[in-house]
Amino acid sequence: MAQRILIISPAWLGDIIMSQSLLKTLKQRDPSCEITMYAPRYAHVIIARMPEVDHILENPFAHGALQLGARRAEGKKLKALNFDCAYILPNSLKSALVPFFAGIKERIGLKGESRYLLINRMRSDKKLFPRMVERYVALAYVDDPKIKSAQDLPQFAYPKLTLAAPSPELLSRLGLPSDRPLIALGCGANYGPAKLWPVEYFAQASAHFIRKGYGILALGSPKDQATVNSIKSALTQAERNAGELLPYFYDIAGQTNLTEALDLVGSCAGAICNDSGLMHTVAAAGVPQVCLFGSTSTNYTPPLSEKAICLESTQPCHPCFERTCKLNTYQCLKELTPERAIAALESLIPAEAGL
């Protein structure tokens, strides 16, 4: 009988996408295993694009909520599904409660918040696996004495989501062109402004690529609408001939669901992204991109793609991982100039793509 595996997924989209490398590793080691992802509802449409996942269950608990009684009841419900093992990917104690209450015999995860009773097959050496994706993949080798650090891990596959061409109806609804290749802007920064490349830099890069014959696709959630509006304002203020530029700046923030955004990204010629969930989505779609790291570090959550160039701060305070700049200068982001981003992206995409 196939081994039944439950994956307790992370809460953040980027982490969920990075966890696909673990799923690929598990399927490679045991092609007959049956993988169920226990994940927030919003992410189901993206997880459905992971061919390694056989089933998806909703994690109904809000990020940060304990709800001990409800988790116990949820565990009893999952017990009937007879999972053989569970991989608990978040570090929190509460994320390990449901598989514990479900009576799943093997519960695998990182030490996290001292989860000694809840996790019975544990890795407590996460410092030896600096990147998040390495920590996930290392859980597949939790009992292997030869895997002591990231250098010992066998080669593993990067995330790769299944794509579909955007429908003509979607392109028509959003007013997107059929005669211009698109550059996606991943300008969202839900974590905080210390991850947000200056809007005037996004505007300068947008102007450059519009003149080269591209359209600019500004994606994001409704929360990102204010940032996109600021980019458009900066584009207007910076360019006397903004009237010739703005018609090729396509603001679709908050107008798509995740699968529509994924397929639109997959059809783009390139992208410029903050360190964000969209950056990881672009990477998993195989699209060339430039990634901007201000307060955060490529040593932890880099884009998992060979088509990505990362521009990273050299400030002495980097990386601080703060949501806002303690010095109130945001110099870590300002030093990543639009000229550098433009040159990096042009080195990745065919010169003729914009013609």
Side-chain angles (χ1 to χ4, degrees):
M1 181 178 294
Q3 185 184 40
R4 296 172 61 82
I5 300 174
L6 178 67
I7 306 288
I8 308 297
S9 93
W12 296 97
L13 178 61
D15 294 347
I16 290 171
I17 291 174
M18 284 188 286
S19 74
Q20 191 186 10
S21 288
L22 169 62
L23 311 184
K24 288 177 175 290
T25 300
L26 293 173
K27 283 287 189 179
Q28 181 183 31
R29 301 188 79 195
D30 180 7
S32 68
C33 73
E34 191 174 296
I35 294 177
T36 298
M37 285 283 277
Y38 186 72
R41 175 175 288 276
Y42 86 89
H44 288 197
V45 291
I46 292 294
I47 295 170
R49 298 296 190 90
M50 298 180 180
E52 301 79 16
V53 177
D54 299 292
H55 309 286
I56 308 173
L57 295 175
E58 180 183 358
N59 181 344
F61 301 104
H63 185 62
L66 178 57
Q67 299 178 265
L68 186 61
R71 289 180 192 270
R72 182 181 289 108
E74 183 78 357
K76 290 181 179 179
K77 184 172 68 175
L78 292 186
K79 188 172 184 178
L81 298 179
N82 298 313
F83 289 106
D84 298 298
C85 66
Y87 290 83
I88 299 95
L89 303 190
N91 285 319
S92 66
L93 184 145
K94 57 186 171 290
S95 65
L97 288 170
V98 169
F100 175 78
F101 289 135
I104 299 174
K105 183 178 179 181
E106 297 182 12
R107 302 181 302 278
I108 304 159
L110 297 169
K111 177 182 175 183
E113 296 177 343
S114 299
R115 307 181 288 182
Y116 291 104
L117 293 177
L118 303 178
I119 304 288
N120 56 17
R121 295 175 65 195
M122 179 185 294
R123 275 198 175 274
S124 57
D125 51 0
K126 71 177 185 179
K127 289 185 179 179
L128 298 175
F129 299 88
R131 296 193 300 164
M132 179 70 77
V133 67
E134 294 165 347
R135 297 175 187 179
Y136 290 157
V137 173
L139 294 178
Y141 303 95
V142 67
D143 293 326
D144 191 333
K146 298 189 298 294
I147 308 299
K148 298 178 180 179
S149 69
Q151 289 71 32
D152 302 322
L153 285 173
Q155 187 174 6
F156 57 86
Y158 283 166
K160 185 176 183 181
L161 299 174
T162 301
L163 301 175
S167 68
E169 293 77 15
L170 176 63
L171 297 177
S172 175
R173 172 168 67 84
L174 297 175
L176 298 180
S178 58
D179 58 344
R180 278 189 174 231
L182 296 173
I183 301 293
L185 298 187
C187 49
N190 289 338
Y191 181 79
K195 277 191 174 186
L196 175 59
W197 204 41
V199 293
E200 59 270 23
Y201 287 10
F202 273 116
Q204 289 178 51
S206 297
H208 173 87
F209 283 106
I210 289 172
R211 292 193 184 99
K212 286 279 190 176
Y214 293 87
I216 301 299
L217 187 65
L219 297 121
S221 70
K223 295 179 181 178
D224 302 316
Q225 188 62 63
T227 299
V228 174
N229 287 339
S230 296
I231 294 171
K232 287 192 289 187
S233 296
L235 190 63
T236 302
Q237 294 170 6
E239 303 299 332
R240 293 180 180 177
N241 59 341
E244 298 177 17
L245 300 175
L246 287 176
Y248 304 106
F249 186 95
Y250 303 97
D251 171 11
I252 64 168
Q255 299 181 47
T256 64
N257 59 37
L258 275 175
T259 48
E260 290 170 338
L262 170 63
D263 292 334
L264 287 168
V265 162
S267 70
C268 287
I272 301 175
C273 294
N274 295 324
D275 176 15
S276 61
L278 185 61
M279 176 190 76
H280 293 288
T281 303
V282 171
V287 173
Q289 67 172 317
V290 173
C291 312
L292 306 154
F293 285 78
S295 67
T296 54
S297 171
T298 56
N299 290 331
Y300 184 50
T301 54
L304 302 177
S305 170
E306 296 178 355
K307 297 181 180 180
I309 293 177
C310 297
L311 302 183
E312 187 165 6
S313 171
T314 62
Q315 296 300 304
C317 53
H318 170 83
C320 68
F321 295 103
E322 297 289 342
R323 295 176 183 269
T324 59
C325 177
K326 290 182 177 180
L327 304 176
N328 201 32
T329 64
Y330 295 94
Q331 191 58 38
C332 62
L333 290 160
K334 291 177 181 177
E335 73 170 287
L336 310 178
T337 64
E339 291 79 11
R340 291 176 62 190
I342 289 167
L345 188 56
E346 288 186 334
S347 74
L348 290 172
I349 57 180
E352 67 274 12
L355 301 179

